[in-house]
């Protein structure tokens, strides 16, 4: 079965603290994984994809096939990072399979 | 480029009525996807279309739901004889290739 699990519904940290949003997936074959973000009153947008191996807005995510994980990390959280974050798996038919999302709240 | 457009943004229907949701993809995009988001849930895939073709409708309920993407005009998601359980946010996404999808703002359907 193709599935994405985000165990934390809500994650609250203070500004400047490190952040890790957890994501585990289930997929047979080579997965394509993404993080999408939705800021308040904005549409859902792509944050990063694992194959590009880039850092966007200070966020990185490493695909760990052994642990079937794709955790999103940032060393120093900023208030403007507060948003809803979705871990997403590329399905076999070209569709996207979403986790339930983690709401990140960064407090001043 | 205006991005993916969806209308209406909010739609209220009584039980038994029909709901029509429209999606205009980004310029140059020929792939359209519809997703549904129930409260407290992530987005769930419904259907994937290219112009005049349904590529994958494995996420569509078997009855009352249909989708089209005609040669001209927007993609339409149609829900006949709506029930309270159809109340949700419906998102459309478009892409040039499959995975880099750009999302619209969504249509929030409320069935009373």
């Amino acid at each position: 079965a193709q599935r994405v699990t985000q165990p934390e519904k809500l994650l609250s940290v203070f500004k400047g603290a490190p952040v890790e949003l957890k994501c585990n997936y289930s997929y047979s074959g080579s997965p394509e994984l993404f993080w999408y973000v939705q800021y308040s009153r904005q549409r859902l947008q792509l944050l990063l994809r694992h194959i590009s191996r880039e850092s966007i807005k200070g966020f990185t995510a490493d695909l760990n096939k052994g642990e079937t994980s794709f955790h999103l990390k940032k060393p120093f959280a900023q208030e403007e990072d507060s948003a809803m974050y979705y871990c997403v798996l590329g399905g076999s038919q070209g569709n996207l399979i979403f986790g339930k999302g983690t709401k990140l709240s960064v407090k001043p | 480029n205006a991005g993916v457009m969806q209308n209406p943004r909010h739609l209220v229907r009584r039980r038994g009525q029909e709901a029509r949701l429209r999606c205009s993809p980004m310029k140059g995009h020929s792939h359209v996807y519809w997703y549904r988001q129930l409260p407290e849930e992530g987005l769930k895939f419904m259907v994937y279309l290219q112009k005049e073709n349904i590529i994958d409708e494995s996420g569509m309920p078997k009855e009352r739901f249909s989708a089209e993407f005609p040669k001209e005009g927007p993609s339409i998601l149609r829900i006949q004889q709506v029930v309270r359980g159809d109340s949700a946010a419906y998102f459309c996404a478009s892409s040039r290739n499959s995975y880099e999808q750009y999302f619209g703002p969504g249509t929030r359907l409320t069935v009373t």
Side-chain angles (χ1 to χ4, degrees):
Chain A
Q2 301 172 10
R3 190 170 55 243
V4 176
T5 303
Q6 292 180 253
E8 302 138 330
K9 207 170 172 177
L10 173 66
L11 185 62
S12 186
V13 301
F14 286 103
K15 179 182 168 182
V19 167
E20 183 179 50
L21 285 79
K22 292 190 175 12
C23 171
N24 288 89
Y25 67 90
S26 172
Y27 187 78
S28 54
S30 287
E32 282 214 48
L33 284 149
F34 310 82
W35 278 95
Y36 275 75
V37 61
Q38 188 169 28
Y39 300 101
S40 179
R41 297 200 185 92
Q42 294 187 29
R43 58 184 70 188
L44 198 59
Q45 56 186 285
L46 178 64
L47 179 63
L48 56 80
R49 54 192 303 177
H50 88 273
I51 59 170
S52 58
R53 301 186 65 82
E54 57 191 344
S55 172
I56 304 290
K57 299 184 180 183
F59 284 98
T60 58
D62 290 318
L63 176 61
N64 185 324
K65 289 188 179 179
E67 295 182 0
T68 59
S69 68
F70 188 56
H71 304 325
L72 183 68
K73 298 177 185 178
K74 184 168 182 177
F76 308 104
Q78 303 299 316
E79 286 180 71
E80 56 266 27
D81 296 329
S82 295
M84 196 74 185
Y85 290 80
Y86 294 96
C87 183
V88 181
L89 172 67
S92 53
Q93 299 295 329
N95 57 306
L96 297 178
I97 299 163
F98 282 75
K100 290 190 177 184
T102 298
K103 184 174 181 179
L104 175 64
S105 173
V106 181
K107 297 178 180 177
Chain B
N1 198 331
V4 178
M5 307 291 285
Q6 287 187 251
N7 68 79
R9 294 292 307 278
H10 300 275
L11 182 60
V12 180
R13 285 286 176 265
R14 290 205 179 99
R15 276 180 297 170
Q17 289 185 319
E18 180 179 285
R20 278 185 182 235
L21 288 64
R22 292 175 187 77
C23 169
S24 296
M26 283 179 70
K27 192 174 178 181
H29 287 191
S30 59
H31 302 247
V32 166
Y33 306 81
W34 285 94
Y35 295 85
R36 176 165 66 173
Q37 185 176 32
L38 296 169
E40 306 290 317
E41 297 283 325
L43 280 71
K44 292 270 195 309
F45 167 74
M46 298 181 76
V47 62
Y48 164 28
L49 309 107
Q50 293 182 22
K51 285 282 186 183
E52 300 184 280
N53 283 307
I54 296 175
I55 306 302
D56 178 8
E57 56 182 349
S58 58
M60 286 276 268
K62 293 285 183 277
E63 296 174 352
R64 302 187 297 108
F65 284 71
S66 62
E68 62 176 9
F69 187 17
K71 192 175 179 182
E72 302 290 338
S75 175
I76 308 277
L77 178 68
R78 185 177 172 215
I79 311 172
Q80 295 178 289
Q81 299 175 323
V82 295
V83 301
R84 287 234 171 94
D86 297 333
S87 295
Y90 291 83
F91 291 91
C92 167
S94 74
S95 72
R96 272 189 224 273
N97 52 49
S98 296
Y99 289 142
E100 189 153 349
Q101 297 180 16
Y102 293 81
F103 282 80
T107 293
R108 189 161 297 279
L109 172 65
T110 302
V111 179
T112 60

